[in-house]
Amino acid sequence: MNDDITYGIRSTIAASVAKAIENDSLETFTVLNNFIGKLLGLSVANNSISIFSEYITLPAYYYPLSYSKSKENIKNQKLHGIATNRAASLLSSLLSYSIRYPDFTTESYKIDELTAVNTFFYSGYNGFNRLLYHIVMNSDLQMFDKVFVQFQQINWYNDTSNDLKWNIKSNFNRLDKAQLKSAMALYGQIKKRNDYKRHVISGLNYWIIFLFAIGKMEPETVAQFLEKMRIPADSEEILSDIILFTSNPNMDYLEWSDWDYMERPDGIAYSPPSPNQWLTYGFLVNLIRDEHYYFNPASLEEQELSQSVGLYESLKLAVADISSHFDKWKPILNVEDLDALTRRTEPILQSFRSIKKESINAKYSEIAEENLDDGKISEFRELIGKAWQDAAFIRNLFHSRKNTEAVFQDSKFIGQKTFFEQAKIMFINGRHYQTIYNISQIGGETGRWIDDRFFSSLNIKELHYATDQDISELLSKCINSLKAKKITPNVIILPSIYSYKDENFLNQKKFIRKSNLQDVHHNNPLSKYLLGRYDSIDVYTSFSNVINDKIIVADFENSFKMKYCRHKDWYDEELMVKVDAVTDGKAIEKFESDPQKWTKRYAEEHDLSKDEAISLIKNAVEIEIGSFADFEIVDKDSFVVGIIQNSNLE
């Protein structure tokens, strides 16, 4: 005998929901939806995962049921919208408020309790996954916008996993082995809530790319979906995710093995789309579209390394297929031609080739004994230097306006010094040489820090400033303020968001877009930052976060000066790029400062010996990248800082 009072009534409730939607009965539907919500809430409160898993799928079907009825009769459209919104609200509420981890500390928690809660989280996110899948299959962008907003807001203000992650990182060297193991086990459970949420987005993103590949979704629709559905993952997470997705032998994770692009006739055997294949294709397309990811094999756990062996071959086949059908793929890849595609895919394949090699044999000792190659260091300096030069907008602006002064005394260092673990592979010549995908981002990041330093040097309390909510009104105030003092401004600097979001500003009569200017030299390093001209004044954008709510209007040459150091051996005589091998003495010093860190970190079947750990340490290099510059306000009356109040563009 079954003591579950809900036993056997799911099909009745499902049929009743379908009937209410068919009859366009909002009152009946509301009663049934409230009942389902209460039942799911009680199942969480009573820790009944079986009931929860059985009924959590019901809200997802509100959409396909009401969608078909809304297409048959326009009067059903109102209930369709209400039903879909309530499905999203119910699922969002359960995942945000009903399902919660028990109170815990890093020293006191029960792993089985956290695991049980994660079972509810997985089932709940899978329910939301079903709802979004049905919407995507109808290319329903309007409804997707409404539902996806609620999905994104889940756990928005109650996320402890990132705090725990950074607490572990910041205290890594202070924790003993037992404490670290306990903290990592706790983090491994607490982060699953975010993992499931991210995996839903990843799966849908990759599925949409598959629908495009087989001609089931138009490129314009794909582009809109992908723009809304950016995967919130860093390089380590997205790599770990694809290894998890493609290493599941049953392919039953988030029910992806049941996804299909067409209705199949009953009684006929068929093979649904292979999740391994479309997940890999989607992953690759995202890497091609978004260049900010770079992968280092050292970021992977031993198990992940062993599971990643087949990824390289799968990606290699996918690259070949996309390349051979480039005209088809071009609209969604964000690349101009086949050569550009090759430039994007070559480092991706190189990265995964490296991962494959690392999964077979670490080769620490051989790499440790290699000498740094001067040619490789020069190539690195050139790569980093170009990225730095391209990203250093403020530095380029000062040089173009010739309001600079070379000095010989030390100025403030703007850069970074890094002990870059396992990066020696980039600077040796031989069979162990490997690149690190998108490593030039270090140069770009260092270049953007110059912008940050300049804008941070402008103390608003001591300067002339104006405020307004409207960017056009604010510009007029700033310009008129300067002209009233007989000062002619020649530079406007805006936050980068105004380069694409504020159509009112971009369509102003006073504003001429860069594409309509005849005297723009596109090989000029400032060209990519030039937005156009406003009232005959050059308008530039900066990607610095410091200027997100500010603008600058200036007679630039008379307002500021950049004092900087030069050296003939630096890139463009300004950027210092130093790469040094880790000496035996330095490696021993590192090891003795924390032996446990190095002997335990990359151990396979047994702990590393001291010599093995020192070889591992010597796989690192010490890198110092930066420039030396100070910024001086020459005449504070020659510029105005505008403060954008309550911007609605975020």
Side-chain angles (χ1 to χ4, degrees):
M1 180 177 178
N2 196 310
D3 294 330
D4 178 7
I5 62 171
T6 69
Y7 179 74
I9 68 170
R10 183 191 181 283
S11 58
T12 302
I13 296 172
S16 299
V17 171
K19 194 67 176 177
I21 291 174
E22 180 181 354
N23 294 333
D24 197 36
S25 175
L26 176 59
E27 181 178 356
T28 303
F29 170 80
T30 299
V31 171
L32 291 167
N33 179 65
N34 289 342
F35 173 79
I36 293 169
K38 289 179 181 178
L39 183 60
L40 288 167
L42 286 170
S43 67
V44 174
N46 290 287
N47 200 30
S48 178
I49 187 60
S50 59
I51 295 176
F52 185 84
S53 298
E54 183 179 6
Y55 286 87
I56 193 64
T57 58
L58 287 177
Y61 287 107
Y62 296 175
Y63 173 86
L65 290 170
S66 60
Y67 179 85
S68 62
K69 294 301 175 184
S70 70
K71 292 300 179 183
E72 295 172 4
N73 192 327
I74 194 171
K75 74 182 185 67
N76 293 92
Q77 289 184 352
K78 179 179 179 181
L79 181 56
H80 171 52
I82 292 172
T84 306
N85 180 66
R86 289 187 181 174
S89 298
L90 173 55
L91 293 167
S92 178
S93 177
L94 288 167
L95 288 164
S96 295
Y97 306 111
S98 299
I99 308 171
R100 304 182 71 86
Y101 290 118
D103 293 336
F104 64 86
T105 66
T106 53
E107 294 79 26
S108 176
Y109 63 88
K110 294 181 179 179
I111 201 76
D112 56 342
E113 291 182 354
L114 299 177
T115 302
V117 173
N118 281 329
T119 306
F120 280 96
F121 273 125
Y122 172 82
S123 190
Y125 274 113
N126 190 41
F128 219 131
N129 189 42
R130 283 195 183 195
L131 175 61
L132 290 167
Y133 165 75
H134 288 306
I135 296 172
V136 165
M137 289 304 297
N138 286 315
S139 298
D140 192 346
L141 285 160
Q142 183 178 8
M143 191 63 74
F144 182 87
D145 280 347
K146 297 175 182 177
V147 171
F148 194 63
V149 165
Q150 297 194 58
F151 180 82
Q152 287 178 305
Q153 291 174 346
I154 296 171
N155 196 36
W156 194 268
Y157 302 106
N158 187 34
D159 183 15
T160 58
S161 64
N162 280 330
D163 291 340
L164 185 58
K165 175 181 178 180
W166 291 113
N167 183 52
I168 292 172
K169 284 194 171 186
S170 61
N171 292 288
F172 186 85
N173 294 327
R174 301 188 186 96
L175 299 174
D176 61 31
K177 179 181 177 181
Q179 290 173 326
L180 182 59
K181 182 178 179 180
S182 175
M184 291 300 294
L186 174 61
Y187 173 67
Q189 292 298 320
I190 298 301
K191 77 181 186 72
K192 284 187 180 295
R193 172 170 52 179
N194 284 350
D195 288 348
Y196 297 145
K197 183 178 180 181
R198 185 177 68 252
H199 295 169
V200 168
I201 297 173
S202 299
L204 289 164
N205 181 303
Y206 299 167
W207 177 252
I208 286 166
I209 291 167
F210 170 72
L211 293 177
F212 167 78
I214 61 174
K216 296 296 183 180
M217 188 175 286
E218 295 299 319
E220 296 80 10
T221 305
V222 172
Q224 290 183 70
F225 268 125
L226 296 185
E227 184 62 27
K228 300 171 191 297
M229 208 183 309
R230 293 179 178 272
I231 300 171
D234 60 27
S235 298
E236 292 184 13
E237 289 170 334
I238 199 169
L239 177 58
S240 293
D241 287 351
I242 192 62
I243 293 172
L244 170 68
F245 298 166
T246 56
S247 62
N248 182 353
N250 298 323
M251 289 298 165
D252 55 359
Y253 188 66
L254 289 173
E255 299 180 345
W256 288 332
S257 58
D258 294 331
W259 287 10
D260 206 345
Y261 55 88
M262 61 180 290
E263 290 289 334
R264 306 282 181 172
D266 293 334
I268 298 178
Y270 71 97
S271 297
S274 166
N276 198 318
Q277 184 178 30
W278 59 259
L279 287 164
T280 303
Y281 262 73
F283 172 72
L284 173 63
V285 170
N286 270 267
L287 294 187
I288 296 171
R289 284 170 52 87
D290 192 344
E291 292 185 275
H292 84 270
Y293 296 115
Y294 65 93
F295 303 123
N296 188 339
S299 69
L300 295 175
E301 300 290 341
E302 179 189 348
Q303 183 179 3
E304 291 175 322
L305 276 172
S306 66
Q307 292 172 334
S308 67
V309 176
L311 266 178
Y312 168 69
E313 296 299 334
S314 298
L315 290 170
K316 185 178 178 181
L317 291 172
V319 167
D321 182 64
I322 290 173
S323 299
S324 63
H325 300 91
F326 175 73
D327 289 340
K328 171 185 175 179
W329 285 94
K330 182 179 178 181
I332 69 166
L333 291 180
N334 294 340
V335 293
E336 297 177 357
D337 52 40
L338 197 53
D339 288 340
L341 175 63
T342 301
R343 289 194 296 272
R344 294 268 183 100
T345 56
E346 280 184 346
I348 294 172
L349 291 178
Q350 176 62 39
S351 293
F352 282 89
R353 190 182 300 117
S354 300
I355 291 172
K356 179 182 178 181
K357 290 179 180 178
E358 284 291 327
S359 70
I360 297 170
N361 187 359
K363 304 170 185 173
Y364 295 139
S365 297
E366 292 182 37
I367 295 172
E369 296 304 314
E370 291 275 4
N371 294 321
L372 299 186
D373 182 78
D374 290 339
K376 298 299 183 186
I377 293 175
S378 296
E379 290 173 7
F380 177 74
R381 182 182 294 111
E382 191 73 12
L383 181 70
I384 294 297
K386 287 181 178 178
W388 170 82
Q389 190 175 54
D390 188 52
F393 156 65
I394 282 296
R395 177 257 185 190
N396 294 329
L397 182 61
F398 271 97
H399 279 298
S400 72
R401 300 285 170 164
K402 302 187 186 307
N403 47 335
T404 61
E405 179 183 350
V407 295
F408 296 100
Q409 70 271 24
D410 285 346
S411 300
K412 292 179 181 177
F413 179 66
I414 306 175
Q416 53 188 303
K417 186 172 183 179
T418 307
F419 184 82
F420 202 162
E421 294 180 23
Q422 299 227 347
K424 190 176 182 180
I425 53 175
M426 296 177 54
F427 304 102
I428 57 178
N429 196 8
R431 66 190 183 94
H432 294 311
Y433 165 74
Q434 297 172 21
T435 60
I436 295 179
Y437 177 56
N438 231 13
I439 193 65
S440 61
Q441 286 290 322
I442 297 176
E445 180 182 55
T446 306
R448 286 186 288 274
W449 288 349
I450 300 177
D451 288 30
D452 293 347
R453 180 67 61 85
F454 170 70
F455 294 126
S456 297
S457 71
L458 305 180
N459 188 337
I460 192 67
K461 294 180 180 179
E462 301 173 4
L463 303 175
H464 301 295
Y465 66 93
T467 62
D468 207 289
Q469 294 182 352
D470 181 79
I471 187 69
S472 300
E473 292 295 326
L474 183 57
L475 281 170
S476 295
K477 287 182 180 180
C478 294
I479 293 169
N480 292 336
S481 172
L482 292 174
K483 288 184 175 180
K485 295 183 286 187
K486 309 296 184 185
I487 294 170
T488 303
N490 57 9
V491 167
I492 295 171
I493 303 176
L494 303 180
S496 61
I497 197 171
Y498 286 94
S499 65
Y500 62 93
K501 274 201 173 182
D502 194 332
E503 289 295 329
N504 291 331
F505 166 69
L506 295 174
N507 292 322
Q508 286 279 319
K509 290 182 179 180
K510 290 184 177 181
F511 180 71
I512 303 174
R513 296 174 187 253
K514 178 173 64 175
S515 58
N516 295 325
L517 297 175
Q518 302 299 316
D519 57 345
V520 175
H521 301 288
H522 293 284
N523 59 346
N524 187 312
L526 278 175
S527 175
K528 67 176 288 187
Y529 299 98
L530 180 66
L531 190 58
R533 292 203 180 105
Y534 184 88
D535 202 12
S536 300
I537 305 169
D538 287 345
V539 180
Y540 297 98
T541 61
S542 171
F543 291 93
S544 170
N545 291 329
V546 179
I547 200 176
N548 273 350
D549 61 346
K550 299 179 182 67
I551 67 171
I552 295 174
V553 181
D555 173 1
F556 200 80
E557 292 87 335
N558 292 315
S559 296
F560 313 105
K561 178 181 284 187
M562 181 178 76
K563 295 182 178 181
Y564 68 102
C565 293
R566 298 179 64 179
H567 192 286
K568 63 182 179 62
D569 294 331
W570 295 349
Y571 180 87
D572 206 18
E573 298 190 354
E574 282 187 56
L575 179 68
M576 179 182 68
V577 180
K578 292 177 61 179
V579 181
D580 293 318
V582 178
T583 64
D584 289 337
K586 181 71 173 181
I588 293 171
E589 178 184 336
K590 277 272 184 185
F591 175 81
E592 291 181 346
S593 67
D594 191 353
Q596 190 165 354
K597 170 185 176 181
W598 297 105
T599 56
K600 302 290 185 182
R601 193 167 184 183
Y602 297 104
E604 295 184 2
E605 296 180 359
H606 53 79
D607 294 348
L608 296 180
S609 66
K610 179 178 179 180
D611 288 343
E612 289 171 335
I614 288 173
S615 290
L616 170 62
I617 294 169
K618 291 178 66 178
N619 276 239
V621 289
E622 293 184 297
I623 296 178
E624 190 170 8
I625 300 170
S627 59
F628 297 82
D630 286 312
F631 297 99
E632 178 182 310
I633 296 176
V634 177
D635 181 6
K636 69 178 183 179
D637 292 323
S638 293
F639 70 97
V640 179
V641 176
I643 301 176
I644 307 163
Q645 296 180 321
N646 302 320
S647 171
N648 61 357
L649 295 181
E650 297 298 332

